[in-house]
Amino acid sequence: MVTILINIKELIQVRERNIKKVSGKDMAFLPTLKNAFLAIENERIIDYGTMDKIPSYQSAMLIDCKGKMVFPSWCDSHTHIVYAGNREQEFVDRINGLTYEEIANRGGGILNSAKKLQQTSEEELYEQSSKRLKEIISLGTGAVEIKSGYGLTVEAELKILRVIRKLKETFSLPIKATFLGAHAFPSEYKENKEAYIDVIINEMLPQIGKEYLADFIDAFCETGYFSVEQTERVIDAGKKYGLVPKIHVNQFTSIGGLQASVAKGALSVDHLEIMTESDIDALKGSDTMPVALPSCSYFLSIPYTPARDIINADLPLALATDYNPGSTPSGNMNFVVSTACIKMKMTPEEAINAATINGAYAMDLSDEVGSITKGKKANFFITKEIPSYGYLPYSFGSNVIESVYLNGKRI
Ligand code: NIG
Ligand code: FE
């Protein structure tokens, strides 16, 4: 049966021909239709247009959207939602003056989360993670990437990836899995980092490949974490199992990880709080999507990704949450879009493009989601009655979403 949303005040991100991503000046253009309808059948978008051109279907279920807007679901291309417990004590330590780095050096940070996760059963981990997934779906996210990286042993990394596989089987939104064994060096490898790289390459990856547990490979390429050369080796090893690189770079320092990732054909480079001119130059002419994570900058009080410099260089930009227990305990894409406007000086049009079609690109999903296009998945949300689409980022901290749909079904 056909479902038709009628009297939509404004239908957002309508792309007649599917595009993979938007870059530079094109990001300032957000195509919309006022007083529109949207027709869905068998989980897909089959038609849309203005109300005066609505076709007559034999039988259809009508949903009246008077005064309300319809957005394609947010596409969150960077999360770490499979983790155990929380780290609010470190939050208090930071309020009291310790830095993120100092906390990590004392065995807190990623290693603290890994310890908790290693002691948590797969069932319990699934319970905690599915709650987070339900929460972000209710906030409008309709496609998501989830990383491992809080396990750091063969057993615990596989446990995370199996939880992600179960989430993929259970939930109706597209989920992509990323292997991030190279997130931090476990303390027992502090003096012998090469031995841990060896575990990643020769123990974790073969098993992940055998069970088809990941789509992408990631590494935290950063001073004090994984060097450029170690990151390159992890990328090359992942490629042998068909894993496409999506890499954490330039969060605290610019050390050449971005250039190396682009040279290795990364689908995305993520964080980018610290960017030099040479980093921006390296992205030019590549197919790599730069991804900004403004909630992380907000929570850690670190610089924001220089969105204007990136967009003015005619590059694309995607926005994602980075939802994780240490640097971003929030998976709210509405807040990300608001913060990108407020702190990174992106216009609402640019931020919405970055959080939909460009986010889809950063997970290799732009043929399925990210815009209102015939044939794409009917993943979208209906807002409350709002005056304009710019009201969404403007009214930061409030929730303007009334209902969410995945595969054409209300959740
Ligand atoms: O993307 N930067 C590396 N990893 C995570 C945070 C890690 C943590 O503190 O748990 C991030 O911000
Ligand atoms: Fe991250």
Side-chain angles (χ1 to χ4, degrees):
M1 174 144 100
V2 177
T3 302
I4 316 177
L5 282 71
I6 56 168
N7 300 322
I8 302 168
K9 178 168 175 166
E10 198 162 356
L11 180 60
I12 311 299
Q13 187 64 299
V14 182
R15 302 276 178 179
E16 195 178 319
R17 274 187 311 116
N18 187 36
I19 51 159
K20 297 265 183 201
K21 60 178 174 184
V22 275
S23 309
K25 283 194 181 65
D26 293 342
M27 288 191 68
F29 176 61
L30 181 67
T32 71
L33 279 180
K34 288 189 173 147
N35 195 22
F37 75 91
L38 176 67
I40 300 150
E41 191 177 27
N42 298 331
E43 311 183 348
R44 302 261 157 194
I45 295 168
I46 56 163
D47 203 4
Y48 58 79
T50 46
M51 281 303 287
D52 53 326
K53 302 213 179 72
I54 192 163
S56 61
Y57 292 96
Q58 286 242 308
S59 71
M61 189 176 93
L62 298 183
I63 301 171
D64 192 1
C65 297
K66 194 163 181 293
K68 302 167 187 175
M69 305 211 172
V70 174
F71 284 64
S73 299
W74 302 128
C75 296
D76 188 353
S77 66
H78 183 137
T79 82
H80 310 242
I81 61 169
V82 180
Y83 60 85
N86 289 293
R87 306 216 306 260
E88 61 272 46
Q89 183 51 49
E90 292 181 8
F91 171 60
V92 177
D93 291 342
R94 277 199 302 111
I95 293 169
N96 288 325
L98 285 183
T99 64
Y100 182 74
E101 202 184 358
E102 284 164 346
I103 292 167
N105 291 341
R106 296 198 315 184
I110 296 166
L111 297 186
N112 182 0
S113 287
K115 201 156 124 201
K116 288 191 172 109
L117 190 142
Q118 287 160 14
Q119 293 160 355
T120 304
S121 71
E122 194 171 314
E123 291 68 32
E124 171 60 22
L125 192 58
Y126 176 80
E127 283 313 310
Q128 293 189 23
S129 311
S130 62
K131 267 192 203 141
R132 294 181 195 114
L133 189 52
K134 281 182 195 151
E135 179 207 2
I136 66 170
I137 290 170
S138 74
L139 292 166
T141 294
V144 67
E145 180 260 16
I146 310 174
K147 300 173 194 298
S148 72
Y150 286 116
L152 308 183
T153 64
V154 179
E155 194 193 348
E157 283 296 310
L158 291 172
K159 179 161 68 182
I160 302 175
L161 291 168
R162 288 180 188 135
V163 166
I164 301 175
R165 181 171 61 193
K166 192 163 168 210
L167 294 169
K168 283 188 184 191
E169 290 163 0
T170 313
F171 285 80
S172 54
L173 76 172
I175 298 176
K176 291 283 177 112
T178 300
F179 170 53
L180 176 56
H183 198 189
F185 287 97
S187 16
E188 57 273 34
Y189 291 96
K190 231 179 177 160
E191 303 308 321
N192 189 5
K193 293 185 169 170
E194 284 309 304
Y196 184 60
I197 304 276
D198 198 63
V199 172
I200 293 174
I201 295 176
N202 297 317
E203 295 182 45
M204 295 178 180
L205 272 169
Q207 196 59 35
I208 290 163
K210 200 165 137 198
E211 293 183 45
Y212 298 102
L213 285 171
D215 305 291
F216 304 123
I217 180 112
D218 194 350
F220 186 18
C221 184
E222 186 55 66
T223 309
Y225 291 82
F226 290 78
S227 70
V228 175
E229 188 267 334
Q230 288 165 335
T231 301
E232 288 174 320
R233 273 159 54 212
V234 169
I235 292 176
D236 288 341
K239 279 187 177 174
K240 293 205 177 105
Y241 298 94
L243 309 187
V244 174
K246 272 170 73 68
I247 309 294
H248 281 73
V249 294
N250 295 47
Q251 183 177 5
F252 301 110
T253 53
S254 167
I255 57 172
L258 184 148
Q259 288 77 355
S261 304
V262 170
K264 296 266 177 213
L267 177 62
S268 73
V269 281
D270 302 39
H271 270 290
L272 316 180
E273 288 87 342
I274 305 300
M275 290 288 277
T276 64
E277 231 173 272
S278 121
D279 291 317
I280 292 189
D281 285 346
L283 286 162
K284 292 180 185 162
S286 80
D287 292 326
T288 304
M289 177 64 71
V291 180
L293 311 165
S295 309
C296 173
S297 299
Y298 177 81
F299 189 72
L300 294 185
S301 302
I302 61 174
Y304 288 85
T305 301
R308 287 264 55 92
D309 294 345
I310 293 172
I311 295 170
N312 292 344
D314 209 24
L315 293 167
L317 184 64
L319 289 167
T321 61
D322 199 20
Y323 195 172
N324 75 74
S327 72
T328 322
S330 160
N332 189 341
M333 281 296 284
N334 306 283
F335 179 77
V336 164
V337 169
S338 277
T339 308
C341 294
I342 298 163
K343 295 291 185 183
M344 292 157 61
K345 302 278 176 255
M346 291 174 77
T347 64
E349 291 79 8
E350 288 171 335
I352 293 167
N353 276 318
T356 54
I357 189 68
N358 284 358
Y361 179 94
M363 327 183 235
D364 195 18
L365 281 173
S366 39
D367 289 339
E368 280 290 278
V369 288
S371 63
I372 302 295
T373 302
K374 285 180 202 170
K376 280 198 179 181
K377 269 184 182 299
N379 290 10
F380 57 86
F381 60 82
I382 305 175
T383 67
K384 297 170 185 164
E385 292 193 17
I386 54 173
S388 67
Y389 60 72
Y391 185 83
L392 187 149
Y394 162 81
S395 60
F396 78 97
S398 25
N399 184 4
V400 304
I401 296 179
E402 185 177 86
S403 55
V404 303
Y405 287 73
L406 296 177
N407 294 329
K409 287 191 191 68
R410 186 168 176 176
I411 300 297

